[in-house]
Amino acid sequence: MDSYLVPAGYGEAELTEKRSRFIGQVWRVETEAEARVHLEEVRKKYHDARHHCWCYVLREGNVLRYGDDGEPQGTAGQPMLNVFLKEEVSNAVCVVTRYFGGVLLGAGGLTRAYGGTAKLALDAAGISRMRLWAVLAVPCPYPLYERMRLLVEKSGGTVESADFGSDVLLTVLLPAEDTAGFRTAVTELSAGSVEVLVEEERFRPGPP
C-alpha cells in the first residue's frame, strides 16, 4: 500500500473577521461514521452558534463530502475541502463554527474566512505520513549503544524502547522500505556482530 498524508492529531484554531468568530477543528478519522460523530460533538458544544460548516476526506472509497450549513452555496464547505485537497491530506474531518458578528462578509469574505480557518486548524494539527513501518529487534553491545541510536535517527527511524540487560535490546521503528539499508549499516557498524530481526510490519503515522 502506498504512503499517504493524514492529520498528525487534533488541531484547533480561531479567526475573527469583521466581528464574526470562526472556530476551526480538525481530526484524523477512518470512516464517515467517525466524521459525523465529531460534527455532532461540535454542534452540541457550540449549540448557540449560527453555522457549523464541515468537510471530510476519506481515502477508502475516495469519499469527499462537505456542507455549508446555511451559508451561501460554495462559500464554506467547498473552500474548506479545497484546503485538504491542495495539501493532499486524507482521512480528515474539519468543522468550522461561525458566531455571526452582525456584519455581512460577502461571498469572497466568507470563502477566505472558512478556507483560512480550515488551513489554520490543519496547521495546528500538523501533517503525518501513513506508511508501512517495520518493527525491528536490534541487540546492541553497550559500547555501540550511542552510535546505534544515532544510526537509527540517521536512517529515519525511531527507538521505541530499550531493554538494558547483558546487552541493550533496542526496539526500532523504521520505514519498511529502508530495512535492507539499515541492516547493511548495522553490519558495518558492528563488524557483523549484530543481527537485526524484523518482528512485524504495521501501518502507522510518521514524519511527512
Side-chain angles (χ1 to χ4, degrees):
M1 186 182 290
D2 294 333
S3 65
Y4 55 96
L5 299 177
V6 298
Y10 169 72
E12 181 175 342
E14 288 196 28
L15 184 150
T16 301
E17 185 71 28
K18 294 182 180 177
R19 297 203 297 270
S20 277
R21 181 187 176 204
F22 295 84
I23 306 166
Q25 298 179 84
V26 168
W27 295 266
R28 184 167 75 235
V29 294
E30 299 293 330
T31 65
E32 289 195 67
E34 280 185 71
R36 286 193 288 265
V37 165
H38 287 301
L39 175 57
E40 289 308 312
E41 287 174 347
V42 173
R43 283 176 171 156
K44 289 177 183 176
K45 181 177 180 180
Y46 299 111
H47 59 86
D48 55 339
R50 178 77 68 93
H51 305 282
H52 300 288
C53 303
W54 55 271
C55 71
Y56 54 83
V57 186
L58 298 173
R59 193 167 183 274
E60 186 74 27
N62 194 29
V63 176
L64 306 174
R65 300 273 191 274
Y66 65 88
D68 295 317
D69 194 28
E71 295 284 27
Q73 186 175 357
T75 64
Q78 183 68 63
M80 292 164 56
L81 180 62
N82 289 344
V83 169
F84 292 86
L85 297 180
K86 181 181 178 183
E87 299 291 334
E88 299 182 342
V89 172
S90 58
N91 286 15
V93 58
C94 178
V95 183
V96 175
T97 298
R98 180 190 182 192
Y99 283 92
F100 183 56
V103 179
L104 297 176
L105 300 183
L110 287 173
T111 298
R112 287 190 297 273
Y114 278 104
T117 306
K119 178 64 165 65
L120 290 173
L122 178 57
D123 289 346
I127 296 175
S128 289
R129 182 174 293 279
M130 290 289 288
R131 67 199 305 178
L132 190 63
W133 289 70
V135 182
L136 310 176
V138 185
C140 174
Y142 279 91
L144 293 180
Y145 174 59
E146 287 301 329
R147 291 167 68 190
M148 190 69 76
R149 286 181 65 93
L150 290 173
L151 178 60
V152 171
E153 292 177 12
K154 184 180 176 182
S155 302
T158 58
V159 175
E160 191 172 55
S161 65
D163 184 14
F164 297 93
S166 55
D167 283 330
V168 185
L169 179 60
L170 301 177
T171 300
V172 172
L173 291 173
L174 191 75
E177 66 268 22
D178 297 332
T179 302
F182 178 71
R183 274 180 157 156
T184 299
V186 168
T187 298
E188 292 174 357
L189 175 65
S190 67
S193 65
V194 173
E195 182 180 359
V196 176
L197 301 175
V198 179
E199 295 190 328
E200 64 171 312
E201 292 185 340
R202 65 169 86 126
F203 240 75
R204 68 183 294 277

